[in-house]
Amino acid sequence: MPADKPYLEHRFLGVRPFTDYLSDAGVAYALFDDPAIESLFSAKSELLNRGRDSIVIGACTDEGLGVYFAQFGIRITESFLSHVVFVFDHHPRPDELATAADDMEGLILQQLDGVDMGDILKRGSH
C-alpha cells in the first residue's frame, strides 16, 4: 500500500475502464449504488463534474479475491474518458474516496510527464 493511503494500489488506465479489463479476464464483479458517489461529486466539484465524469465503486466477487475498487473516469475529449482505478481491501468509505480523488491529479500529471504535447498536436493536424 502507498504510505499513509487507504488504498492498496492505483493505476492510470487511459481510455479503457478497469471493468473492461476485469470482464476480459473473466473476473466477476459487482457494482454498488453507493451514496458516497454523489457526495464525492459535491465535495470535489472543482475536480469532478457530475455531467461529464464518472465514478464507479465495485468489488471483485470471484472466490478468494476480496478486493474492492473505485474507478474514476475523467472526461478528456467529447468522446473519451481517461480512467484511474484505486484498489482497496475493503469497501471504501467517503473520506477514503476523497483521498483517492485528491491523489488523481498527481497520477495524471505523472503519466503526462515527458509527453510532448507539441508532437501530439502536430500529428493531430494532418
Side-chain angles (χ1 to χ4, degrees):
M1 176 180 344
D4 299 330
K5 300 296 179 182
Y7 48 85
L8 300 171
E9 187 63 62
H10 59 275
R11 288 280 186 260
F12 178 85
L13 301 173
V15 297
R16 194 159 179 230
F18 185 63
T19 50
D20 281 1
Y21 288 106
L22 292 174
S23 294
D24 288 352
V27 175
Y29 61 90
L31 300 180
F32 302 110
D33 186 18
D34 193 319
I37 293 171
E38 288 307 319
S39 298
L40 191 58
F41 276 119
S42 295
K44 299 293 180 183
S45 61
E46 73 285 353
L47 178 64
L48 299 164
N49 180 297
R50 184 66 179 119
R52 67 167 201 255
D53 301 322
S54 72
I55 304 170
V56 174
I57 299 171
C60 296
T61 57
D62 283 357
E63 190 172 329
L65 288 182
V67 294
Y68 294 77
F69 59 89
Q71 172 183 278
F72 293 83
I74 306 300
R75 175 107 14 230
I76 55 173
T77 70
E78 288 299 317
S79 304
F80 292 104
L81 296 174
S82 185
H83 294 91
V84 178
V85 67
F86 294 85
V87 177
F88 296 82
D89 62 0
H90 59 279
H91 190 108
R93 297 186 318 262
D95 62 311
E96 294 171 329
L97 292 170
T99 297
D102 288 340
D103 290 351
M104 269 194 317
E105 184 177 11
L107 292 172
I108 293 168
L109 290 174
Q110 186 179 31
Q111 290 298 312
L112 294 175
D113 190 31
V115 172
D116 183 349
M117 292 305 288
D119 184 47
I120 291 171
L121 293 173
K122 249 191 309 191
R123 283 186 283 156
S125 65
H126 293 251

